[in-house]
């Protein structure tokens, strides 16, 4: 009997405060027109001072638990991906486990930058398929606003804060059909966020995101095109079998290139970046949750998730919802 990892619930959280393109154009040399035309972004949410990755993760996770109608103690593995953990340790996943009142799960964080969602999905699927876990909670929780250099117009226009969760459970019914994840560690200088506390030269590195945007853009378009082919080939599927594309929300031009490759109309692409910006590892899960809750993604449909981030890391997941 084939065991699948089936999505049984999703949740999402966006902080209340919003920063618009107009707000940013008052502090750096940019404009709403430039940002929207080059990225597709209009606004992003910004966490309040008292919010943390674990507090946002808790809200998203509780929504997913409610949607799945399970008990928090049914979860036996919790994976959080975040670039802004509450602490170096304990992990945000451990803090989340405690916030949920769960006593039985194994909990750990992963770091795959913006690809954290599909990396978590891959790990969850492997645990479920091997029988090592039955019910797995994955969460992406990011407070990008605290690691963005608000004087750098090349990056501060892009990122936003948010958290999203997905619950997966072992099932005989089809669920995750395949996952594909990759890394190439040769690109540190194109996209990175140093950890100033651990740097040997504390004066040299600030703890902010730096990116050579244009170079990242080109690699991302190329790589995401290849991952689409890899996913379709692995499943022996034609492009036409995919009902929805749920991409990482980095740039609408990158997303449009992937949709074109799939010969998909933009109507079949879940876009949240106009309202949310790039929420790093939360973005794919936030978009998935949005389209499930507004009724676009229906049970039985086939959904392609993909992401690309620092490392570089990249990956995809094909899900029969
Ligand atoms: O999530 C992880 C993966 N990340 C990504 O996938 C991000 C990929 N990169 C991008 O989304 C785009 O490269 C950006 C949106 C960051 C930049 O867009 P671009 O079309 O690649 O612009 P560029 O970097 O080639 O810069 C073009 C011009 C430059 O001016 P000059 O040298 O032509 O005079 C920049 O200085 O635009 C200038 N520029 C800006 N102008 C107004 C750069 N940022 C801004 C800005 N407002 N915010």
């Amino acid at each position: 009997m084939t065991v699948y990892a089936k999505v049984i619930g999703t949740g999402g959280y966006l902080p209340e405060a919003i920063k618009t393109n107009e707000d940013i154009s008052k502090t750096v040399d940019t404009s709403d027109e430039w940002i929207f035309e080059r990225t597709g972004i209009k606004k992003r949410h910004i966490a309040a001072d008292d919010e943390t990755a674990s507090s946002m993760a808790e809200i998203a996770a509780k929504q997913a638990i409610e949607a799945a109608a399970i008990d928090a103690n049914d979860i036996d593995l919790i994976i959080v991906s975040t670039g802004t953990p509450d602490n170096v340790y304990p992990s945000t996943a451990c803090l989340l486990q405690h916030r949920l009142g769960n006593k039985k799960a194994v909990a750990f964080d992963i770091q795959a930058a913006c690809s954290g969602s599909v990396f978590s999905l891959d790990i969850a699927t492997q645990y479920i398929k091997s029988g090592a876990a039955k019910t797995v909670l994955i969460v992406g929780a990011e407070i990008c606003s605290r690691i963005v250099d608000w004087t750098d117009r090349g990056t501060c226009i892009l990122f936003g804060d948010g958290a999203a969760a997905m619950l997966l459970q072992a099932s005989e019914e089809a669920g995750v059909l395949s996952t594909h994840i990759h890394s190439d560690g040769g690109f540190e200088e194109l996209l990175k966020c140093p950890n100033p506390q651990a740097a040997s030269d504390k004066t040299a590195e600030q703890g902010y995101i730096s990116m050579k945007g244009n170079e990242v853009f080109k690699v991302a378009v190329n790589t995401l095109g290849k991952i689409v082919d890899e996913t379709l080939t692995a499943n022996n599927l034609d492009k036409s079998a995919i009902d929805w594309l749920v991409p990482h929300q980095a740039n609408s031009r990158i997303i449009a290139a992937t949709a074109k490759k799939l010969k998909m109309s933009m109507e079949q692409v879940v876009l949240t970046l106009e309202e949310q910006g790039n929420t790093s590892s939360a973005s794919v899960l936030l978009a998935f949750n949005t389209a499930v809750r507004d009724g676009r993604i229906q049970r039985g449909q086939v959904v392609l998730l993909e992401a690309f981030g620092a490392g570089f890391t990249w990956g995809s997941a094909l899900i029969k919802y």
Side-chain angles (χ1 to χ4, degrees):
M1 183 191 72
T2 310
V3 176
Y4 290 96
K6 186 144 192 83
V7 179
I8 58 164
T10 63
Y13 172 72
L14 293 163
E16 205 181 309
I18 285 171
K19 208 187 248 294
T20 64
N21 291 350
E22 284 85 2
D23 294 334
I24 294 180
S25 65
K26 287 179 191 141
T27 52
V28 290
D29 183 14
T30 189
S31 66
D32 176 40
E33 296 73 44
W34 193 95
I35 301 171
F36 186 62
E37 196 180 296
R38 299 287 182 115
T39 69
I41 299 166
K42 282 266 180 203
K43 51 180 84 152
R44 64 290 291 146
H45 292 253
I46 306 290
D49 289 347
D50 61 351
E51 289 186 301
T52 60
S54 70
S55 75
M56 299 198 311
E58 178 185 357
I59 300 168
K62 284 185 171 164
Q63 263 187 27
I65 290 167
E66 198 186 327
I70 62 161
D71 188 274
N73 264 306
D74 295 337
I75 301 167
D76 42 31
L77 173 62
I78 298 174
I79 305 168
V80 173
S81 66
T82 178
T84 51
D86 296 29
N87 308 296
V88 173
Y89 46 76
S91 69
T92 303
C94 279
L95 302 182
L96 176 62
Q97 178 194 23
H98 183 65
R99 283 174 177 270
L100 296 176
N102 173 291
K103 296 281 180 204
K104 108 175 182 200
V106 170
F108 55 83
D109 289 358
I110 64 145
Q111 173 51 266
C114 296
S115 307
S117 51
V118 286
F119 274 57
S120 300
L121 202 40
D122 174 80
I123 300 166
T125 303
Q126 307 304 339
Y127 265 81
I128 288 174
K129 285 183 95 65
S130 72
K134 187 167 170 269
T135 306
V136 182
L137 171 68
I138 64 170
V139 179
E142 304 278 4
I143 307 190
C144 299
S145 61
R146 294 192 191 145
I147 54 169
V148 152
D149 175 358
W150 288 102
T151 66
D152 173 15
R153 68 177 184 172
T155 52
C156 76
I157 57 163
L158 299 171
F159 295 96
D161 301 339
M166 181 184 274
L167 268 165
L168 298 126
Q169 196 165 58
S171 171
E172 288 172 32
E173 264 179 54
V176 177
L177 300 176
S178 73
T179 52
H180 309 268
I181 58 172
H182 301 277
S183 310
D184 183 343
F187 294 92
E188 182 185 7
E189 295 314 318
L190 292 194
L191 177 51
K192 75 173 189 175
C193 181
N195 176 359
Q197 279 176 299
S200 53
D201 175 2
K202 290 198 175 25
T203 57
E205 310 253 35
Q206 301 294 320
Y208 297 125
I209 299 170
S210 68
M211 177 170 72
K212 296 196 170 91
N214 198 270
E215 289 174 60
V216 175
F217 186 100
K218 286 181 207 149
V219 184
V221 169
N222 243 321
T223 309
L224 291 169
K226 285 188 202 141
I227 199 103
V228 164
D229 288 337
E230 183 185 356
T231 314
L232 290 170
T233 306
N235 291 281
N236 196 18
L237 272 186
D238 184 71
K239 298 176 175 79
S240 59
I242 297 172
D243 295 299
W244 295 101
L245 174 64
V246 181
H248 172 47
Q249 311 281 319
N251 187 310
S252 55
R253 291 180 293 142
I254 298 176
I255 295 171
T258 310
K260 194 172 165 203
K261 166 119 197 152
L262 282 163
K263 294 197 166 56
M264 271 181 139
S265 98
M266 290 304 280
E267 310 276 277
Q268 289 170 277
V269 181
V270 182
L271 283 176
T272 52
L273 89 169
E274 183 170 340
E275 304 288 318
Q276 300 174 12
N278 177 350
T279 56
S280 191
S281 74
S283 94
V284 171
L285 298 177
L286 268 168
F288 192 92
N289 176 58
T290 301
V292 164
R293 284 178 185 264
D294 68 21
R296 272 179 287 174
I297 297 179
Q298 297 279 331
R299 285 284 171 201
Q301 289 187 322
V302 177
V303 188
L304 176 63
L305 287 66
E306 48 89 338
F308 180 89
F312 289 138
T313 54
W314 65 99
S316 65
L318 193 71
I319 296 180
K320 184 158 188 179
Y321 179 62

